[in-house]
């Protein structure tokens, strides 16, 4: 064996020793379990009282006696002074709320006892009636005679018509055996005990709901009296509950189950009494955690109001519950329909516009004339005459129609018309003899001036000076062209 192999063996031994030590330390620490594992019950006993001992217990009798006593008193909300925990009835409410949990466990035990004993007579009934209380009531009604399924009014109040029909058909073909008188008496005793425990549980629920209306009215409105009593009992009172943050209130009553060898996927982590309340369970599963956080936050506010005995009529509780329901409705609204939007306008940059006389002239030359504008204009609600008489849709529009009120000529735009300076106008008159009205003489210049007469001639035929020169006469030198820098060229 080499040195490397010896080193690896030593490391493995050290690792095993560390694992063994940590395992021993973990075993010494007590495991925290809110929900204890179900103990194996011995259901082979002859009587139900050997396994169900809550009905005959002293604690059960004392709590029910106190409940009946406080129901007869009917205390008022004005009588509660100081902390709620100081009231003697508060402890009775907490004990009664804890008693309902024990009654539920006792009913499950009795249901298993009846199911095992009655499977000898009708083994298929367990799969046909899954509800525990309905199963117990059906067993008590049928007994040994399965023919009672047909036309039984009491059974119709327990099961639906479809279930009764299936039970009656199955009972006619069952392979069960008749029960003895002793076995039938034990079954009836167990059924009576289960029904009485169920009635006591409903009695406790009614009492808790009636008394929570003045101990914590706002909290009871939001999550119900039963759930409010549960979280108050776990928190240690209404005062302690009002001091807790919402994240901790949501975890009150959380169940942590550690079963070796079994899957823990069915156990929901971080879910307590609020998560399992009716207001949260009414939502779809994907919204329940979010709803539990919202309800826990509102319960914190309601508990703080109740701890100071404010809003005894429950006004704050109703407002908080309305806010919760509005948010629940908002969460469950369908998403808005996605509309098809047109493409946005392209972000083209501004085109560079050219100015100047040349550009204005080009616009005047290429722009629409008034004739073309009238031809393009159409009258609404009138049949146009086809210009080519071939039904091609070419019409003359308003062109040539009476009532247009315009002369068919090109309209000159005064804003874009080219302008000539006065100096250039004077030079043009002296050079070619044309131009607008002379501002100095006050009359138009349509012919060149007559030098002898110092102005235009009134009679061109009688004036020889204004006659055109002969071919042999020397021609006068024309005036010089204005300088490029002259003001005459400026527009």
């Amino acid at each position: 064996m080499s040195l490397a192999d010896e080193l690896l063996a030593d490391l493995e031994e050290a690792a095993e020793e560390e694992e063994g030590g940590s395992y021993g330390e973990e075993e010494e620490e007590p495991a925290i379990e809110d929900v204890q594992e179900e103990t194996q019950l011995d259901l082979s006993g002859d009587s139900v009282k050997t396994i169900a001992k809550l009905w005959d217990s002293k604690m059960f009798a004392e709590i029910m006696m106190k409940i009946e006593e406080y129901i007869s008193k009917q205390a008022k909300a004005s009588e509660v002074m100081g902390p709620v925990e100081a009231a003697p009835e508060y402890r009775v409410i907490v004990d009664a709320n804890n008693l309902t949990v024990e009654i539920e466990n006792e009913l499950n035990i009795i249901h298993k006892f009846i199911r095992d004993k009655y499977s000898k007579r009708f083994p298929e009934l367990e799969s046909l009636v899954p509800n525990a209380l309905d199963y117990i009531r059906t067993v008590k009604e049928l007994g040994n005679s399965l023919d009672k399924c047909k036309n039984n009014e009491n059974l119709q109040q327990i099961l639906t018509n479809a279930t009764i029909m299936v039970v009656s058909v199955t009972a006619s073909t069952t392979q069960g055996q008749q029960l003895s008188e002793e076995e039938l008496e034990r079954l009836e005793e167990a059924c009576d005990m289960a029904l009485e425990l169920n009635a006591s549980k409903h009695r406790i629920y009614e009492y808790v709901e009636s008394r929570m209306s003045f101990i914590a009215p706002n909290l009871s409105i939001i999550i119900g009296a039963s759930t409010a009593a549960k979280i108050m009992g776990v928190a240690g009172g209404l005062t302690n509950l009002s001091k807790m943050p919402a994240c901790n209130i949501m975890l009150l009553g959380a169940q942590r189950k550690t079963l070796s060898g079994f899957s823990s996927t069915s156990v929901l982590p971080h879910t307590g009494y609020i998560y399992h309340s009716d207001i949260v369970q009414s939502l779809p599963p994907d919204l329940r955690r979010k709803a539990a956080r919202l309800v826990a936050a509102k319960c914190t506010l309601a508990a703080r109001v109740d701890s100071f005995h404010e809003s005894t009529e429950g006004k704050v509780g109703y407002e908080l519950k309305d806010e919760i329901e509005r948010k629940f409705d908002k969460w469950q609204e369908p998403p808005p329909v996605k509309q098809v939007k047109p493409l946005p306008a392209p972000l083209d940059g501004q085109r560079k516009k050219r100015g100047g006389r040349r550009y204005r002239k080009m616009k005047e030359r290429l722009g629409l004339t008034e004739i073309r504008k009238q031809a393009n204009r159409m009258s609404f609600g009138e049949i146009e005459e086809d210009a080519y008489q071939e039904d091609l849709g070419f019409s003359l529009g308003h062109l040539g129609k009476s009532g247009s009120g315009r002369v068919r000529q090109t309209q000159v735009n005064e804003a874009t018309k080219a302008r000539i300076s006065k100096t250039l106008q004077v030079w043009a008159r002296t050079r070619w003899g044309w131009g607008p009205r002379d501002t100095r003489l006050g009359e138009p210049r349509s012919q060149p001036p007559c030098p002898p007469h110092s102005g235009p001639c009134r009679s061109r035929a009688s004036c020889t000076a204004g006659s055109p020169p002969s071919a042999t006469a020397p021609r006068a030198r024309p005036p010089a062209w204005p300088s490029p820098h002259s003001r005459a060229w400026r527009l």
Side-chain angles (χ1 to χ4, degrees):
M1 182 181 246
S2 62
L3 292 175
D5 295 337
E6 292 179 358
L7 180 60
L8 290 175
D10 295 337
L11 292 175
E12 289 175 359
E13 292 178 0
E16 290 176 358
E17 292 177 358
E18 290 179 358
E19 291 177 359
S22 61
Y23 180 76
E25 293 175 358
E26 290 178 0
E27 287 184 344
E28 292 176 1
E29 295 180 359
I32 301 174
E33 294 180 0
D34 294 334
V35 179
Q36 298 178 356
E37 299 182 14
E38 297 180 357
T39 58
Q40 295 294 333
L41 298 174
D42 187 10
L43 301 177
S44 61
D46 295 336
S47 177
V48 70
K49 293 183 179 180
T50 58
I51 57 173
K53 301 178 180 180
L54 179 63
W55 178 255
D56 297 330
S57 64
K58 183 180 179 180
M59 179 264 297
F60 179 81
E62 290 178 355
I63 293 177
M64 294 304 297
M65 188 183 301
K66 290 180 180 179
I67 289 175
E68 295 296 336
E69 179 183 353
Y70 282 110
I71 286 177
S72 60
K73 287 184 178 180
Q74 288 294 334
K76 299 180 180 179
S78 59
E79 298 178 2
V80 181
M81 302 297 294
V84 180
E85 292 81 359
E89 191 177 2
Y90 174 76
R91 177 50 53 188
V92 178
I93 293 175
V94 175
D95 293 341
N97 188 65
N98 296 332
L99 183 60
T100 57
V101 180
E102 297 183 11
I103 291 176
E104 289 285 349
N105 297 333
E106 198 81 355
L107 288 175
N108 292 332
I109 294 172
I110 297 174
H111 172 248
K112 290 180 182 179
F113 175 82
I114 297 174
R115 183 186 60 191
D116 293 344
K117 297 298 180 183
Y118 198 70
S119 60
K120 179 182 177 181
R121 181 69 185 92
F122 195 0
E124 295 87 0
L125 185 62
E126 178 187 355
S127 60
L128 299 178
V129 185
N131 186 268
L133 288 174
D134 292 343
Y135 181 86
I136 293 171
R137 293 190 183 99
T138 305
V139 170
K140 184 180 179 181
E141 184 65 27
L142 295 179
N144 254 337
S145 58
L146 301 182
D147 297 335
K148 292 182 180 180
C149 296
K150 301 177 181 178
N151 301 326
N152 193 333
E153 296 181 358
N154 296 331
L155 198 61
Q156 290 179 359
Q157 298 176 1
I158 302 172
L159 304 176
T160 61
N161 294 331
T163 307
I164 292 174
M165 183 178 63
V166 175
V167 169
S168 62
V169 173
T170 310
S172 61
T173 59
T174 184
Q175 302 295 329
Q177 303 175 1
Q178 290 286 335
L179 297 175
S180 62
E181 293 295 332
E182 295 180 359
E183 292 175 343
L184 194 59
E185 289 178 1
R186 297 190 192 103
L187 279 176
E188 291 180 355
E189 181 186 6
C191 292
D192 293 337
M193 182 184 293
L195 295 177
E196 288 175 359
L197 284 174
N198 185 57
S200 300
K201 183 183 70 172
H202 287 291
R203 183 66 171 170
I204 292 173
Y205 280 155
E206 292 175 1
Y207 166 71
V208 170
E209 290 177 1
S210 63
R211 306 320 293 158
M212 287 296 293
S213 61
F214 82 91
I215 292 179
N218 299 284
L219 185 62
S220 303
I221 290 171
I222 297 176
I223 56 176
S226 178
T227 307
K230 288 178 183 179
I231 63 174
M232 282 174 56
V234 175
L238 186 59
T239 304
N240 293 338
L241 182 66
S242 63
K243 297 177 182 179
M244 295 177 64
C247 58
N248 292 352
I249 292 179
M250 186 180 65
L251 300 179
L252 291 178
Q255 298 178 357
R256 185 172 62 181
K257 204 169 186 179
T258 55
L259 298 176
S260 59
F262 295 94
S263 175
S264 61
T265 55
S266 61
V267 180
L268 295 174
H270 308 294
T271 55
Y273 292 132
I274 292 180
Y275 182 84
H276 296 286
S277 61
D278 295 337
I279 189 173
V280 177
Q281 292 297 317
S282 61
L283 293 178
D286 55 338
L287 295 176
R288 288 176 185 171
R289 288 189 179 274
K290 185 178 180 181
R293 291 193 292 268
L294 175 63
V295 173
K298 302 305 178 184
C299 287
T300 305
L301 301 177
R304 292 169 184 173
V305 173
D306 291 333
S307 63
F308 288 96
H309 307 291
E310 299 290 340
S311 182
T312 56
E313 297 83 6
K315 181 180 178 182
V316 176
Y318 284 115
E319 292 177 356
L320 294 176
K321 189 173 182 180
D322 292 342
E323 185 178 351
I324 291 172
E325 292 177 351
R326 285 197 301 270
K327 290 191 177 182
F328 284 178
D329 296 339
K330 183 68 176 178
W331 294 346
Q332 298 181 79
E333 286 181 358
V337 180
K338 188 176 181 181
Q339 299 179 355
V340 180
K341 296 182 180 180
L343 293 176
L347 301 176
D348 294 338
Q350 274 192 340
R351 297 178 60 185
K352 187 176 180 181
K353 295 182 179 180
R354 181 176 177 179
R357 186 165 66 104
R358 183 184 302 175
Y359 186 71
R360 290 194 299 270
K361 286 289 186 180
M362 183 188 69
K363 287 202 300 183
E364 291 179 4
R365 185 173 66 253
L366 300 179
L368 286 177
T369 61
E370 188 66 22
I371 296 176
R372 178 57 61 185
K373 289 180 182 179
Q374 293 292 332
N376 291 341
R377 187 172 293 129
M378 299 179 66
S379 299
F380 180 77
E382 295 182 4
I383 300 176
E384 300 286 341
E385 296 181 0
D386 189 66
Y388 299 101
Q389 298 182 357
E390 294 180 358
D391 295 331
L392 296 178
F394 296 101
S395 64
L396 298 179
H398 284 190
L399 193 62
K401 291 185 178 181
S402 61
S404 62
R406 291 188 180 184
V407 181
R408 292 190 300 174
Q409 63 180 0
T410 304
Q411 300 291 332
V412 179
N413 190 358
E414 295 294 333
T416 59
K417 184 176 66 174
R419 294 178 177 82
I420 304 177
S421 63
K422 292 182 179 180
T423 306
L424 189 58
Q425 292 178 12
V426 172
W427 178 85
R429 282 195 299 271
T430 58
R431 179 69 177 84
W432 294 295
W434 61 270
R437 181 183 299 274
D438 193 348
T439 56
R440 293 172 296 178
L441 301 177
E443 53 187 13
R445 299 292 301 275
S446 58
Q447 58 183 355
C450 184
H453 297 93
S454 299
C457 295
R458 298 294 179 183
S459 176
R460 190 175 180 83
S462 60
C463 181
T464 58
S467 60
S470 61
T472 57
R475 302 183 62 179
R477 185 177 180 181
W481 193 264
S483 173
H485 302 286
S486 174
R487 293 181 60 184
W489 293 102
R490 298 181 183 181
L491 301 180

